[in-house]
């Protein structure tokens, strides 16, 4: 990481590049000495303002958390915020989540993926930009430990149908809420910044929870 970028951060800089993770020998090494339990990880993809991730990490200081966000502005803001907190159990990766899944995470290394309010890309010609795709879901499944979970939230009814179709068809994933495709409320989760905005507008929610069952390969 360049010196110029690092001096922006008023304290410890918890950002890490995909290359640095690979050079270190994986996230287990990145977190060694920082947390009691470096693996399996909890990963939030597209953490936005980061309040959800910070809440999780504060509640479980022994657990290693990885936040992935491709917005440089949001990553820098989050790094600055983390530098002022006492948390030592979050690593931030400024990258496309697809690239982190492919290049920085290893199979059976993640206990939980959180995907909160991913961009819905409503126009049909943009659907290929949606994060939830057959390949992404397959990779997520392989990265999960057996019994690990994928938790997705969206306010967008069309994206909810798309997510349902992709997750229900994914080999190795089991719907925790079956026979329902999703729940409109779940009690055991904190809210995110987008969720609070959408709640204020009276939008309806779709919360998915899937677990890795046997043999996703
Ligand atoms: C609609 S916002 C939701 C933010 C946050 N999860 C929340 O619920 O408040 C989507 C976030 O995902 C990020 N994002 C979108 N696509 C991404 C990708 N492929 N990889 C990493 N981050 C992504 C965006 O920069 C944005 O911060």
């Amino acid at each position: 990481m360049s010196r110029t970028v690092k001096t922006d951060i008023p304290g410890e800089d918890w950002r890490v590049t995909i290359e640095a993770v690979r050079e270190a020998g994986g996230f287990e090494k990145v977190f060694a000495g920082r947390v009691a339990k470096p693996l399996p990880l909890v990963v939030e993809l597209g953490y936005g303002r980061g309040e959800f991730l910070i809440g999780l990490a504060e509640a479980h200081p022994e657990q290693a958390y990885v936040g992935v966000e491709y917005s440089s502005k949001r990553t820098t803001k989050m790094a600055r915020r983390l530098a002022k907190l006492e948390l030592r159990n979050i690593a931030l990766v400024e990258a496309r989540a697809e690239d982190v899944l492919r290049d920085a995470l290893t199979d059976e290394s993640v206990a939980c993926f959180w995907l909160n309010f991913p961009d819905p890309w409503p126009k049909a010609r943009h659907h290929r930009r949606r994060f939830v795709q057959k390949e992404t879901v397959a990779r997520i499944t392989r990265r999960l430990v057996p019994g690990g979970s994928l938790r997705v939230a969206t306010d967008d009814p069309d994206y909810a149908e798309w997510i349902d179709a992709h997750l229900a068809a994914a080999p190795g994933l089991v719907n925790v809420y079956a026979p329902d495709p999703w729940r409109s409320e779940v009690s055991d989760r904190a809210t995110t910044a987008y969720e609070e905005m959408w709640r204020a507008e009276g939008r309806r929610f779709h919360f998915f929870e899937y677990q890795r069952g046997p043999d996703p390969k």
Side-chain angles (χ1 to χ4, degrees):
M1 191 167 309
S2 87
R3 238 168 238 283
T4 354
V5 175
K6 200 163 183 183
T7 51
D8 286 334
I9 308 302
E12 197 88 50
D13 187 348
W14 299 116
R15 291 173 297 179
V16 65
T17 62
I18 291 177
E19 294 71 31
V21 173
R22 288 170 68 92
E23 273 168 31
F27 278 108
E28 186 176 11
K29 299 288 190 313
V30 170
F31 281 106
R34 275 169 59 183
V35 297
K37 208 179 79 170
L39 283 182
L41 306 161
V42 172
V43 181
E44 186 179 4
L45 305 168
Y47 58 74
R49 292 189 205 154
E51 65 297 308
F52 185 87
L53 186 61
I54 289 176
L56 291 177
E58 282 175 339
H60 297 284
E62 76 291 351
Q63 169 70 56
Y65 290 88
V66 176
V68 183
E69 173 57 62
Y70 72 1
S71 155
S72 168
K73 195 169 150 196
R74 288 189 160 162
T75 309
T76 307
K77 276 191 174 175
M78 179 71 161
R80 293 180 65 82
R81 192 169 166 192
L82 283 185
K84 296 178 194 157
L85 299 175
E86 296 201 345
L87 291 173
R88 302 183 57 77
N89 57 336
I90 298 182
L92 302 178
V93 191
E94 180 188 321
R96 293 175 74 244
E98 294 86 338
D99 297 342
V100 174
L101 275 172
R102 189 187 59 232
D103 299 331
L105 295 168
T106 52
D107 283 354
E108 304 196 1
S109 65
V110 177
C112 180
F113 281 102
W114 290 95
L115 179 61
N116 292 319
F117 302 93
D119 297 320
W121 294 106
K123 292 181 182 159
R125 70 175 188 278
H126 292 154
H127 283 182
R128 65 194 160 79
R129 298 187 191 171
R130 287 175 164 176
F131 179 75
V132 174
Q133 304 286 348
K134 187 178 175 195
E135 298 71 30
T136 331
V137 174
R139 192 157 270 134
I140 283 179
T141 308
R142 289 198 301 275
R143 295 327 194 197
L144 284 172
V145 295
S149 45
L150 165 63
R151 300 186 67 166
V152 187
T154 185
D155 59 296
D156 187 282
D158 179 62
Y159 200 13
E161 298 289 350
W162 171 285
I163 293 167
D164 174 39
H166 282 75
L167 298 188
L173 283 184
V174 178
N175 179 6
V176 172
Y177 301 148
D180 300 327
W182 61 70
R183 292 211 175 135
S184 51
E185 289 297 338
V186 289
S187 55
D188 67 338
R189 49 165 290 139
T191 56
T192 74
Y194 273 76
E195 182 174 343
E196 281 175 18
M197 283 194 307
W198 304 152
R199 271 189 197 282
E201 288 184 13
R203 294 197 196 183
R204 302 190 62 177
F205 297 112
H206 313 77
F207 296 107
F208 298 83
E209 182 171 352
Y210 276 70
Q211 277 191 343
R212 180 180 155 174
D215 193 26
K217 300 191 173 144

